[in-house]
Amino acid sequence: MSSASETGKARRGRKKPARPCFRQTKAWRDFSLKDLEKITEEEAKDIFRKLRWPDTNGEPVCPWCGSHEHWWLENQQRWKCRAPKCRKLFSLTSNTMFANKKKSFKDLIVAGRAFAIGAKGKNGIDMSAELGCEYKTAFALQHKFREGLLNSQMETRLEGEVEVDGAWFGGYIKPENKKINRVDRRLKENQNGKRRVVVGARERKGKRRTIVGVFDGEDQATAWLSERIDTMSQIYADEAPAWLDLHATHKTERVNHSEEYARGERNEINTNQMESFFSRLRRFEIGTHHNISGPYLLRYAADAAWRETNNEMTLKSQTMAILQAAIQSPPSRSFSGYWQRGSANHEDVLFEDVFAGFI
Ligand SMILES: [Zn+2]
């Protein structure tokens, strides 16, 4: 029989009392419904001006040529660029994913706040109830937010100690009723080809940023990881054969999960923080959205990665960051061939701005 010091009970006994989750603290709650109600449409517009043009404190910058000179056309409620070669008209949402929006700016703030609150994502039905809009409008708006968050992560390059891991999503095949008709669903020939792997990397210290990509196999992710992680970084990964390639470009330590979850003098060789990210993404799948596979998987993963990185921001800051990522994003574009390397191009049609008409 093992001694008490080796049992789980003894380990739990030694643990310090857990620090309260940031969301349980007063600091997080800085944007109540009462605060939200007080915002007028004019104030909401000003908020969006500052989010879109932070460098000029909300003064318009022509989205077509970058000029700061403009006229305000009162009758058209738009600006006209003064640059002689441009002279184009633009509004606060021109050339952004909210171009041609129908919702008010205030509604977008309400939606951004609702979206920020869900720790395991925000369900489209819940949001449609909160906004008093159709489900498809809420669904479209959420995917705009997710795309904004994905855009905001595009240039991120991780530094320091970085954990790497992958997890499979989608491609569920319902087992046949009778055992005799069932097949081994682990075998490739019995799968439906919809199963994709989300590969993520996460910094252990500092901003603890998380990045994600979607691939057909972990082995297809290594070039992407090498580009996105600083060459001076220390990588921690599990025993999956795909990560062997990382040794060529980075100092890499691996832990064999079939034997142990952590090794090293201080148990520092582990992927516990990536496990925490994937547990959030699983909760997205099981607890909130029920199906995150298929063409939207990358967006859901980027959403979860953003929440993992920014889980200690206040509610107001989170709301504003979500809205800023969206208003600074161009109209929806295709990500296939960029982050979804190795995948078929079935996203092409989807990423045409199919949501434009709803919001
Ligand atoms: Zn211009």
Side-chain angles (χ1 to χ4, degrees):
M1 224 175 117
S2 61
S3 72
S5 66
E6 286 168 355
T7 63
K9 202 173 175 184
R11 272 203 307 277
R12 279 196 297 278
R14 280 205 306 273
K15 220 172 160 183
K16 282 187 224 152
R19 184 169 65 106
C21 153
F22 181 64
R23 285 170 173 250
Q24 292 171 329
T25 66
K26 195 178 170 197
W28 182 66
R29 302 185 296 268
D30 64 345
F31 199 24
S32 70
L33 277 176
K34 272 187 198 159
D35 299 332
L36 194 64
E37 278 165 16
K38 286 183 207 145
I39 299 174
T40 65
E41 179 62 9
E42 274 311 303
E43 286 166 344
K45 217 180 266 182
D46 281 345
I47 289 171
F48 270 92
R49 280 175 61 157
K50 285 178 182 155
L51 291 175
R52 179 163 191 196
W53 296 302
D55 297 341
T56 57
N57 197 29
E59 278 306 307
V61 179
C62 173
W64 315 113
C65 76
S67 166
H68 290 206
E69 303 295 316
H70 49 75
W71 295 287
W72 170 248
L73 307 180
E74 185 64 39
N75 56 345
Q76 295 202 33
Q77 291 289 299
R78 282 193 287 180
W79 290 280
K80 182 168 182 170
C81 177
R82 281 178 92 141
K85 284 185 182 161
C86 181
R87 297 279 156 108
K88 284 187 183 151
L89 296 172
F90 63 93
S91 72
L92 179 46
T93 57
S94 290
N95 205 24
T96 75
M97 60 166 63
F98 291 136
N100 310 317
K101 70 166 182 57
K102 295 173 195 156
K103 290 253 164 252
S104 68
F105 286 103
K106 170 118 186 228
D107 276 348
L108 293 180
I109 295 177
V110 174
R113 179 183 173 279
F115 187 77
I117 288 175
K120 46 178 185 278
K122 186 71 181 178
N123 180 301
I125 293 173
D126 289 3
M127 191 140 120
S128 72
E130 283 164 38
L131 263 66
C133 67
E134 281 186 60
Y135 168 71
K136 68 179 180 187
T137 307
F139 179 83
L141 197 44
Q142 292 187 339
H143 273 299
K144 295 252 182 203
F145 289 153
R146 285 186 195 108
E147 188 175 315
L149 299 179
L150 178 59
N151 282 333
S152 73
Q153 295 161 22
M154 284 285 193
E155 306 298 325
T156 305
R157 201 153 182 262
L158 305 186
E159 294 168 356
E161 291 178 68
V162 175
E163 293 180 17
V164 164
D165 202 4
W168 292 87
F169 288 83
Y172 176 74
I173 298 169
K174 198 176 172 197
E176 292 293 332
N177 177 33
K178 292 197 186 300
K179 195 176 176 188
I180 196 167
N181 296 328
R182 289 180 205 159
V183 293
D184 186 345
R185 289 176 291 160
R186 290 167 301 182
L187 298 176
K188 196 154 192 165
E189 62 264 31
N190 294 330
Q191 291 175 0
N192 60 10
K194 288 183 183 163
R195 214 160 152 66
R196 317 282 305 280
V197 63
V198 174
V199 172
R202 185 175 182 191
E203 290 171 339
R204 272 201 187 154
K205 290 177 187 150
K207 292 182 183 163
R208 297 169 69 218
R209 295 170 299 178
T210 308
I211 57 167
V212 284
V214 172
F215 302 88
D216 287 336
E218 286 174 337
D219 53 345
Q220 292 175 21
T222 46
W224 173 78
L225 285 166
S226 294
E227 278 169 28
R228 302 293 299 274
I229 302 172
D230 187 78
T231 45
M232 300 300 285
S233 293
Q234 163 75 60
I235 292 180
Y236 298 108
D238 66 16
E239 73 284 3
W243 312 138
L244 255 179
D245 290 350
L246 294 172
H247 290 269
T249 51
H250 292 76
K251 203 172 154 219
T252 304
E253 293 273 10
R254 323 249 308 276
V255 56
N256 186 341
H257 280 167
S258 63
E259 289 167 14
E260 58 203 345
Y261 288 114
R263 64 178 188 86
E265 259 175 51
R266 293 170 289 113
N267 278 345
E268 73 280 11
I269 305 169
N270 65 67
T271 56
N272 295 347
Q273 300 205 17
M274 275 314 294
E275 302 293 336
S276 150
F277 164 73
F278 282 120
S279 114
R280 185 187 294 270
L281 193 54
R282 283 291 170 213
R283 280 179 278 136
F284 264 49
E285 182 179 42
I286 296 163
T288 307
H289 302 291
H290 311 303
N291 179 16
I292 62 169
S293 61
Y296 299 112
L297 179 58
L298 178 60
R299 293 176 180 210
Y300 284 112
D303 177 351
W306 188 87
R307 287 175 205 272
E308 197 72 26
T309 302
N310 297 294
N311 65 353
E312 300 227 325
M313 262 163 93
T314 70
L315 178 57
K316 191 167 189 181
S317 312
Q318 285 176 325
T319 306
M320 294 304 152
I322 288 164
L323 297 175
Q324 183 162 48
I327 194 76
Q328 291 192 340
S329 286
S332 291
R333 60 185 181 190
S334 170
F335 290 103
S336 53
Y338 190 88
W339 276 33
Q340 307 220 11
R341 250 173 239 166
S343 70
N345 289 326
H346 57 270
E347 284 89 3
D348 281 352
V349 176
L350 178 81
F351 286 118
E352 295 280 319
D353 201 346
V354 291
F355 300 135
F358 297 140
I359 295 162

